[in-house]
Amino acid sequence: MPRFSDADLGVESAAPGDARAGDVQAARSPRDGSSIAIPTQDGETIEIPATRSSMSGTSAMMHHLSLGPSTRDRRGSRNSFGTSLPIPRSPRMSRSSRLSRASRPSVISKDIMASQVQDLSPEKVAAVKNMAFAFDIDGVLVHGNNYIQEGRDVLKMLNGDNELGITFPYILLTNGGGKTEQARTEQLSQILDQQVHLDQFIQSHTPMQALSEYYDNVLVCGGEGYKIRDVAEQYGFKNVIHPKDIIAWDRTISPQGLFSEEDKAHAKPRDFSKFKFDAILCFAESWDQMTDFQIINDLLMSEDGYLLTRTKTPKTHKHIPIYFSQGDLLCPTEHKGPPRLHLGAFRLGVEAMYKATSGNDLERVLYGKPERATYIYADEVMADWMEDLHGEKKLPKNIYMVGDNPASDIVGGNMYGWNTCLVRTGVFQGGDNDEENPANFGVFKNVKEAVWTAIRKELGDDFKFKWDPKLNPVTGGSSQSAIE
């Protein structure tokens, strides 16, 4: 399956799609700013060269790429961007166990019956095991906390409600975030009325857990309340500082900042004048932008990551590293009007303020779709999920990305060699296809139409998207005596 080429990246790379190669030279490492080799198989992380510029979007060219990157423009402008994105070598810091099947007789009987049906249809079973789906979430399966009915229908069918009673491989690959993977999968399971497992779920900041091997003292921003602290601590960061911790220490640091009684109860102040920040991590959109803007800019303009200091050489100053979990400008929500501004808008604000303050473009690193590192990580998760489902750890030949955002879902899938399906239930509301980032498999009314079309292409037009509880595996017809 085609992947990014070495010429596209402008750096030496491993075999396309090989997330475990150990002889590739990364660009600048976040560990020490030098050029180092990607860790070998014994290492805990792998460093992937970034496919987006590390420079601020405030200059004309990078501004265009940040807001609406097209496959054509990105291919024409990429070169050695001088940074790398570490991702975990293992898809999970501690892999969760799949929930055991219920021991109800009807479930056991269905599994036995499905196994017999699958034995009679080896070609279709082989086709199922050689295809997989990667779904964006917001605008494809849900709108905020509201489900999209076609999303529910699709997951039910993929989870076994089909003529073979077989589970199709799929993962959820979202640029959303702001809470732990456990909390998000539990929320999605409830909304979609289908079990979403940790082992098939990736949100924008999931691969950023690898950064805990590089930085000890981090400012972590974004999300509601203090949930983002739980995320960072679960990832293994040693000293996680929330912006409200800093306000609790010095209320004057953010004159327009919000600080409630709840904040007072949960904040963890300390003497931050003696605390050295190693990096800034923006995991999700800000709920108190003025506070986050102020503290982030203070640290970017500081001497070596110490608050209350100011660089004396802003023109030549090297600020501490800052990472954003993704770059999407827009995100569909429950709002009935156009999509709402997302983390990408906050990032542009940070860039503009730093440019105005220092006179320099901000150097920053973006994770999330359409970054190649996200897709390499997705390969690992998908291969592990294939092993859980079908006992063989390998990537299917035919992978379908279903998304609503041409600038992330589609451009990333196109460049990684996946079959891309663009749906009209989220960001995209255009014509026959997106002009800058056309979906290579097609544009569809909704996720159900996209999935049904893909499965018919791989398994044939006669495939039935419903399990018959009265099916007689011997005759191929219904049996009234079959257990429902």
Side-chain angles (χ1 to χ4, degrees):
M1 180 163 49
R3 292 287 191 265
F4 289 90
S5 68
D6 295 349
D8 286 335
L9 297 172
V11 295
E12 296 181 4
S13 67
D18 184 1
R20 296 186 180 278
D23 59 352
V24 184
Q25 291 294 321
R28 184 167 21 134
S29 164
R31 189 188 306 277
D32 59 9
S34 63
S35 180
I36 64 171
I38 291 176
T40 62
Q41 295 262 0
D42 295 332
E44 295 298 323
T45 65
I46 178 171
E47 295 183 4
I48 311 300
T51 56
R52 286 181 282 203
S53 171
S54 62
M55 293 305 294
S56 164
T58 53
S59 62
M61 184 61 178
M62 291 300 106
H63 188 68
H64 170 69
L65 291 178
S66 298
L67 286 178
S70 70
T71 303
R72 182 185 67 250
D73 291 337
R74 286 169 57 82
R75 285 187 181 277
S77 65
R78 283 203 316 276
N79 51 33
S80 181
F81 285 140
T83 192
S84 63
L85 278 67
I87 60 174
R89 187 171 295 280
S90 172
R92 288 286 178 266
M93 293 178 66
S94 58
R95 287 184 52 79
S96 64
S97 300
R98 293 195 63 200
L99 298 179
S100 60
R101 292 183 179 271
S103 58
R104 293 181 291 110
S106 60
V107 174
I108 296 175
S109 298
K110 188 214 167 176
D111 287 347
I112 294 173
M113 201 182 306
S115 178
Q116 293 172 335
V117 172
Q118 292 164 26
D119 288 342
L120 297 174
S121 304
E123 292 184 359
K124 286 186 176 180
V125 170
V128 170
K129 294 180 179 180
N130 206 25
M131 69 179 300
F133 293 93
F135 295 108
D136 181 41
I137 296 176
D138 292 296
V140 175
L141 302 176
V142 302
H143 287 139
N145 291 320
N146 299 330
Y147 64 84
I148 297 174
Q149 183 58 52
E150 290 81 7
R152 276 189 168 187
D153 295 343
V154 161
L155 295 195
K156 184 177 180 181
M157 188 281 297
L158 294 178
N159 287 337
D161 189 13
N162 55 70
E163 70 169 66
L164 297 174
I166 195 171
T167 301
F168 284 74
Y170 69 90
I171 62 172
L172 304 186
L173 183 61
T174 176
N175 268 359
K179 58 182 69 173
T180 65
E181 284 76 10
Q182 181 69 46
R184 184 64 169 141
T185 53
E186 289 176 357
Q187 178 189 29
L188 285 170
S189 297
Q190 183 175 10
I191 294 172
L192 293 167
D193 197 30
Q194 292 292 313
Q195 181 66 51
V196 177
H197 297 277
L198 277 172
D199 295 342
Q200 62 183 151
F201 177 76
I202 306 169
Q203 52 188 344
S204 61
H205 46 68
T206 304
M208 292 175 72
Q209 61 188 260
L211 294 173
S212 64
E213 294 191 20
Y214 295 80
Y215 308 115
D216 292 334
N217 305 328
V218 292
L219 176 74
V220 180
C221 302
E224 182 181 7
Y226 292 81
K227 297 174 183 176
I228 211 68
R229 192 202 300 276
D230 296 336
V231 173
E233 290 178 346
Q234 187 179 90
Y235 288 169
F237 290 97
K238 294 181 176 63
N239 295 306
V240 179
I241 308 304
H242 191 283
K244 300 295 186 183
D245 300 338
I246 299 173
I247 293 187
W249 164 64
D250 181 357
R251 294 289 298 276
T252 68
I253 203 164
S254 179
Q256 298 83 24
L258 304 175
F259 194 74
S260 65
E261 289 300 318
E262 182 180 0
D263 292 329
K264 187 182 298 184
H266 291 90
K268 298 179 180 180
R270 65 175 77 181
D271 184 358
F272 288 108
S273 66
K274 301 176 181 178
F275 185 89
K276 182 184 184 303
F277 287 85
D278 297 325
I280 302 166
L281 310 179
C282 297
F283 278 171
E285 56 276 14
S286 172
W287 285 58
D288 184 358
Q289 291 193 6
M290 286 305 296
T291 293
D292 291 354
F293 280 145
Q294 183 68 70
I295 294 175
I296 288 172
N297 198 66
D298 282 348
L299 285 175
L300 292 174
M301 294 296 297
S302 71
E303 284 288 355
D304 203 25
Y306 287 95
L307 286 170
L308 305 185
T309 67
R310 197 77 161 184
T311 177
K312 296 178 178 62
T313 56
K315 281 292 185 181
T316 59
H317 174 61
K318 183 67 178 177
H319 61 74
I320 67 172
I322 180 169
Y323 294 82
F324 294 86
S325 70
Q326 49 97 350
D328 284 357
L329 178 68
L330 300 173
C331 178
T333 67
E334 300 96 333
H335 181 62
K336 300 301 182 183
R340 303 291 83 192
L341 293 172
H342 207 31
L343 181 59
F346 178 79
R347 185 256 306 169
L348 289 173
V350 171
E351 293 177 0
M353 280 180 280
Y354 180 76
K355 176 79 170 181
T357 306
S358 69
N360 300 322
D361 280 338
L362 178 70
E363 291 192 42
R364 79 290 189 272
V365 179
L366 274 64
Y367 275 77
K369 296 174 291 185
E371 268 300 326
R372 179 173 178 260
T374 295
Y375 292 85
I376 290 177
Y377 185 77
D379 273 353
E380 291 292 300
V381 172
M382 190 174 292
D384 278 3
W385 191 240
M386 285 288 295
E387 183 177 29
D388 282 352
L389 290 180
H390 301 303
E392 190 172 1
K393 186 174 182 177
K394 70 172 186 177
L395 286 174
K397 179 181 179 181
N398 305 300
I399 298 177
Y400 292 84
M401 174 77 219
V402 185
D404 69 297
N405 191 336
S408 57
D409 302 322
I410 303 306
V411 69
N414 284 346
M415 294 178 70
Y416 203 57
W418 288 356
N419 303 297
T420 51
C421 309
L422 183 58
V423 297
R424 299 180 180 277
T425 48
V427 171
F428 179 73
Q429 297 293 328
D432 294 337
N433 207 330
D434 185 72
E435 293 183 2
E436 295 294 326
N437 303 294
N440 59 43
F441 190 68
V443 179
F444 303 91
K445 181 179 179 182
N446 53 55
V447 63
K448 185 174 181 178
E449 184 179 296
V451 170
W452 264 230
T453 302
I455 290 178
R456 287 192 174 110
K457 176 181 180 294
E458 302 294 340
L459 276 73
D461 292 336
D462 61 338
F463 186 80
K464 298 179 181 62
F465 300 98
K466 189 73 177 175
W467 168 256
D468 182 358
K470 298 181 179 179
L471 182 66
N472 186 325
V474 178
T475 65
S478 294
S479 171
Q480 295 298 324
S481 62
I483 299 177
E484 301 200 23

